[in-house]
Amino acid sequence: MEVISMIDPGTWTRFGVHYGLFLGALQSNATSGQLGYWLQRGALSLTNMVGCFAMTELGHGSNVPGLETTATFDEASDQFIIHTPTVTATKWWIGGAAHSATHASVFAQLIVKGKRYGTKCFVVPLRDPKTYNTLPGINIGDIGKKMGRDGIDNGYIQFTHVRIPRGYMLMKHTKVSRSGDVQEPKLQQLTYGALLQGRVAMVVDSGNTSKKALTIAIRYAAVRRQFSNSKSNIETKLLDYPIHQRRLMPLMAQTFAMLFTGTEMTAMYTKLMSKLESADAADSSDLDEVLEMLKETHSTSAGLKAFCTWNCLDTIEQCRQACGGHGYSAYTGLAGMYQDFAVQCTWEGDNTILTLQLGRYLVSSYREALKGKKLSPGVGYLNNLDSLLGKRCQITDLENILDPAVIIEGWQVVCANVVKNTALEFEECLKKGLDVDDAYEQCSQSRLYAAKLHSYGYLFNRFVDGVAKVQSELKSVLLDLCLLYGLYTIEQNAGAFLEYGYFNPKQMEYIRLKTNDFCKAVRNQAIPLVDSFNLSDYVVNSPLGRADGNVYVAYFDKVKNSNPQGPHPYFNKIIKPLIERDTESGAIEDEEAGLESDDEDD
């Protein structure tokens, strides 16, 4: 699936919607018996059904509790009635709905005996799988042209009093009996699992898509020559210019950081889902452990989904610009890549909202740390506030800055200070009489800042952990990449490191100079590094990113084959009427073309 995402993002999304979201909703919300039923019906084998994930509405996206679609229990028939009460309740942007899906996992407001119980998940048949005709009460349409990723048929869905069996409500957590009794879970948070898999997948996909973009830009930079110096008539490769190394090598380091982090997040998610499956609802200590894991995974995946997709989109654009004018051509692949990837910054949760969720978790963790609670490893540095706040870099030799432990400590100091200040701002809002939610909103900018800095530090930690596990001679190359990422991100956030005094100006200047050195060191391994991604020319799908370096011939052939020469396409319709229209000057023929005679100069 990771390879498919690089070849055809639309096809990857189609499979991802069914297996990641629809099937993920079943796994997270269905009882074991219900899950077995839908798997037997073809949810796992993708036979006799294609699923979609109907959460987002025309009027609501990130605010899931505010969804308007209703699911009203009818005791007489033992059925739920799914209904779209307003135009804003129309399910919107639903991948696969327009033409592909036969079933949907629909998120709707549960109403039993006139009482609302919040948003729950229901399986609703949409089409007859034999004829693909929509079922009674189902209105489906295509939402039309998008910025990119046209390979996925996003659609809208409206329900008009659609009846489904009571058993089609997924009741792993909230249960509704035949008589209309509602049994709610001890922890509503346990229902969040369906959203996590998609976010984790996007962290992984950010690393993979960045690999493809960098393969194109770096291979092209190793071929493209521009200008010669005074010592040689041979033009210099773009990749040999220090400023070009500055443009691309930190992005290479960042991509490896995202790849290591994606692996870590996948393992974290797998562990969480295993724990959720085996959790004993009657054991309070077991539930507490699961809740802590869920809070960390939910918040971390939210923040990293935002951080990594933003970084990947920026990487694609920087790679496009690094290819100069040719980067603007659709045939070089980067323009389309940007259009296809941009949606990842807003679907599965708007990036700003998700970053704020991580910021809220950081403030909450800080407050818990002050009460003596031992925190999860990802925010464990907040248990060391006494030693981190006010700490300065203790090195005596500037070269010691290149110790990963020093960089890790620097990020911990900065993040501890920023989170503390955010929490203090939050506390001040509470003292002014604001309720908790309003107080969090008032300090939203500080939460956003804290979450972004935390994510920088988190990625560097995961990079260091990954490099530590490598035993081969590749370790030195990966360590250079790791240090480049650490130093570059410190340089990019120099204000915070100087503000909280961990590094002084002299040390920051050293970091800037060493960043240049590591850019050059990584440049020397740049081609082997992109070759290590093992992406074939078919996957890269760009004449500028060819493995054999024959970019100009391939590019010219691509342009010629895609635009065959023939009769002028619009001469008679547009150009001829324009240039042959009547004017006072008339048709003037002059072989001298207005050139003055030499005699006139005498």
Side-chain angles (χ1 to χ4, degrees), residues 265-276 289 293:
M265 282 304 306
T266 301
M268 182 187 294
Y269 170 76
T270 302
K271 182 179 179 181
L272 170 66
M273 295 307 293
S274 176
K275 194 67 178 177
L276 282 172
E289 182 183 355
M293 289 180 62

Side-chain angles (χ1 to χ4, degrees), residues 61-369:
S62 299
N63 182 17
V64 176
L67 296 178
E68 297 179 77
T69 302
T70 58
T72 305
F73 182 56
D74 178 18
E75 293 180 58
S77 62
D78 195 27
Q79 295 176 326
F80 283 103
I81 302 171
I82 309 299
H83 185 60
T84 303
T86 65
V87 66
T88 52
T90 304
K91 295 298 181 182
W92 202 262
W93 282 113
I94 310 304
H99 308 291
S100 307
T102 60
H103 292 70
S105 53
V106 176
F107 288 78
Q109 297 288 343
L110 172 63
I111 303 174
V112 180
K113 298 179 180 179
K115 181 179 178 180
R116 288 178 175 257
Y117 289 89
T119 304
K120 312 300 176 188
C121 187
F122 304 80
V123 177
V124 181
L126 303 176
R127 292 182 171 94
D128 182 332
K130 300 296 185 184
T131 65
Y132 255 63
N133 293 327
T134 54
L135 299 175
I138 304 291
N139 178 30
I140 292 178
D142 194 317
I143 66 169
K145 182 68 177 175
K146 307 180 289 286
M147 178 178 174
R149 212 169 281 237
D150 288 323
I152 179 69
D153 53 327
N154 295 89
Y156 63 81
I157 311 172
Q158 292 177 323
F159 306 97
T160 304
H161 304 293
V162 175
R163 290 179 172 269
I164 61 171
R166 178 171 58 89
Y168 282 21
M169 173 185 170
L170 302 181
M171 299 192 193
K172 182 177 184 177
H173 306 294
T174 300
K175 297 175 174 58
V176 178
S177 70
R178 175 67 182 82
S179 59
D181 293 326
V182 180
Q183 180 182 345
E184 296 194 87
K186 293 182 179 180
L187 297 173
Q188 291 286 350
Q189 298 96 320
L190 296 178
T191 62
Y192 294 160
L195 296 174
L196 299 183
Q197 184 175 5
R199 293 172 182 172
V200 171
M202 279 184 278
V203 174
V204 175
D205 194 46
S206 295
N208 288 330
T209 303
S210 294
K211 289 194 304 188
K212 182 175 176 179
L214 284 164
T215 297
I216 296 170
I218 289 176
R219 283 180 175 171
Y220 177 66
V223 173
R224 178 75 169 186
R225 293 179 180 272
Q226 203 79 292
F227 306 111
S228 58
N229 59 39
S230 59
K231 299 178 181 179
S232 173
N233 291 325
I234 300 175
E235 291 184 293
T236 303
K237 292 180 180 179
L238 292 185
L239 201 53
D240 288 332
Y241 284 104
I243 195 63
H244 211 76
Q245 295 167 10
R246 266 283 186 161
R247 297 178 78 175
L248 295 178
M249 297 307 105
L251 299 180
M252 172 80 83
Q254 176 181 265
T255 296
F256 273 84
M258 290 194 293
L259 292 170
F260 279 114
T261 301
T263 300
E264 178 74 16
M265 282 304 306
T266 301
M268 182 187 294
Y269 170 76
T270 302
K271 182 179 179 181
L272 170 66
M273 295 307 293
S274 176
K275 194 67 178 177
L276 282 172
E277 288 298 321
S278 61
D280 184 357
D283 187 340
S284 59
S285 62
D286 196 27
L287 282 181
D288 287 343
E289 182 183 355
V290 172
L291 181 58
E292 284 303 310
M293 289 180 62
L294 182 60
K295 284 167 59 179
E296 181 185 22
T297 307
H298 179 267
S299 301
T300 303
S301 64
L304 290 179
K305 179 269 183 185
F307 188 77
C308 292
T309 54
W310 267 330
N311 284 340
C312 179
L313 192 65
D314 178 66
T315 295
I316 297 169
E317 174 60 12
Q318 294 306 316
C319 287
R320 185 193 69 78
Q321 293 185 28
C323 291
H326 295 322
Y328 194 66
S329 170
Y331 303 120
T332 58
L334 292 163
M337 196 186 305
Y338 186 95
Q339 291 174 301
D340 285 339
F341 193 85
V343 68
Q344 302 232 32
C345 296
T346 46
W347 71 4
E348 297 295 313
D350 173 80
N351 276 5
T352 298
I353 300 300
L354 294 182
T355 307
L356 288 174
Q357 288 181 10
L358 174 57
R360 184 168 182 151
Y361 173 65
L362 293 174
V363 172
S364 174
S365 297
Y366 173 87
R367 301 177 81 196
E368 290 176 341

Side-chain angles (χ1 to χ4, degrees), residues 329-549:
S329 170
Y331 303 120
T332 58
L334 292 163
M337 196 186 305
Y338 186 95
Q339 291 174 301
D340 285 339
F341 193 85
V343 68
Q344 302 232 32
C345 296
T346 46
W347 71 4
E348 297 295 313
D350 173 80
N351 276 5
T352 298
I353 300 300
L354 294 182
T355 307
L356 288 174
Q357 288 181 10
L358 174 57
R360 184 168 182 151
Y361 173 65
L362 293 174
V363 172
S364 174
S365 297
Y366 173 87
R367 301 177 81 196
E368 290 176 341
L370 293 182
K371 297 175 183 178
K373 181 178 179 179
K374 183 178 172 64
L375 301 176
S376 301
V379 290
Y381 62 89
L382 295 176
N383 282 130
N384 303 317
L385 292 171
D386 290 342
S387 62
L388 292 176
L389 296 177
K391 189 166 189 176
R392 304 287 188 268
C393 183
Q394 301 297 318
I395 62 157
T396 56
D397 189 334
L398 286 175
E399 289 188 1
N400 291 335
I401 290 177
L402 304 182
D403 182 349
V406 172
I407 299 175
I408 289 173
E409 182 183 75
W411 276 114
Q412 289 180 345
V413 169
V414 166
C415 291
N417 277 282
V418 172
V419 172
K420 173 196 170 186
N421 289 345
T422 305
L424 292 178
E425 184 179 342
F426 172 74
E427 296 287 352
E428 283 298 315
C429 290
L430 293 178
K431 290 178 182 178
K432 293 177 181 178
L434 275 67
D435 63 28
V436 171
D437 288 337
D438 286 340
Y440 272 121
E441 288 306 315
Q442 284 299 311
C443 64
S444 57
Q445 179 56 39
S446 298
R447 280 194 290 146
L448 194 74
Y449 183 53
K452 285 185 176 181
L453 290 180
H454 172 83
S455 296
Y456 278 117
Y458 191 93
L459 256 72
F460 183 72
N461 271 276
R462 300 290 76 75
F463 204 162
V464 171
D465 291 344
V467 173
K469 297 173 184 176
V470 177
Q471 300 299 324
S472 69
E473 59 187 16
L474 292 175
K475 186 168 186 174
S476 62
V477 176
L478 291 174
L479 183 58
D480 283 350
L481 275 167
C482 182
L483 289 173
L484 173 57
Y485 180 73
L487 297 178
Y488 179 75
T489 53
I490 289 172
E491 182 190 56
Q492 293 297 102
N493 296 279
F497 282 87
L498 292 171
E499 177 182 357
Y500 298 111
Y502 186 76
F503 289 127
N504 59 42
K506 182 179 178 181
Q507 292 166 337
M508 287 304 306
E509 178 61 18
Y510 177 80
I511 287 171
R512 185 185 69 82
L513 294 174
K514 292 308 294 184
T515 301
N516 292 338
D517 291 344
F518 277 106
C519 281
K520 184 176 182 179
V522 172
R523 177 267 174 268
N524 294 333
Q525 300 294 331
I527 296 302
L529 283 169
V530 296
D531 287 349
S532 75
F533 297 151
N534 200 27
L535 304 181
S536 68
D537 285 344
Y538 177 78
V539 174
V540 175
N541 194 26
S542 170
L544 301 191
R546 287 178 60 92
D548 62 7

